């Protein structure tokens, strides 16, 4: 059996477009789970800042 595949984004900041919903949100959570800081870019959304702060708090990373 092959060893588990692990990605670490520790000490890196990743920009995610549309990171507050849908597939972009899934990417935001995956990057945060891998230890990366996330910069979320969005066109318009009332809850974008709330979603970003929730992910930051949940995974203990910086997200804006």
């Amino acid at each position: 059996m092959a060893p588990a595949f692990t990605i670490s984004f520790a000490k890196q900041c990743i920009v995610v477009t549309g990171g507050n919903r849908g597939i972009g949100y899934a990417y935001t959570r995956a990057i945060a789970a891998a230890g990366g800081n996330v910069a979320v870019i969005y066109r318009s959304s009332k809850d974008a800042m709330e979603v970003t702060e929730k992910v930051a708090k949940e995974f203990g990373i910086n997200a804006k």
Side-chain angles (χ1 to χ4, degrees):
M1 185 163 96
F5 181 73
T6 304
I7 294 176
S8 173
F9 287 117
K11 299 182 181 180
Q12 296 188 30
C13 182
I14 310 297
V15 176
V16 180
T17 58
N20 61 311
R21 60 182 187 199
I23 294 171
Y25 179 63
Y27 275 112
T28 298
R29 290 182 50 79
I31 291 164
N37 295 315
V38 184
V40 176
I41 307 297
Y42 54 92
R43 184 173 56 184
S44 64
S45 179
K46 295 176 185 175
D47 66 343
M49 287 301 295
E50 294 169 14
V51 169
T52 304
E53 290 171 1
K54 178 182 170 186
V55 170
K57 191 177 203 181
E58 180 180 354
F59 292 101
I61 53 104
N62 292 318
K64 300 242 178 200

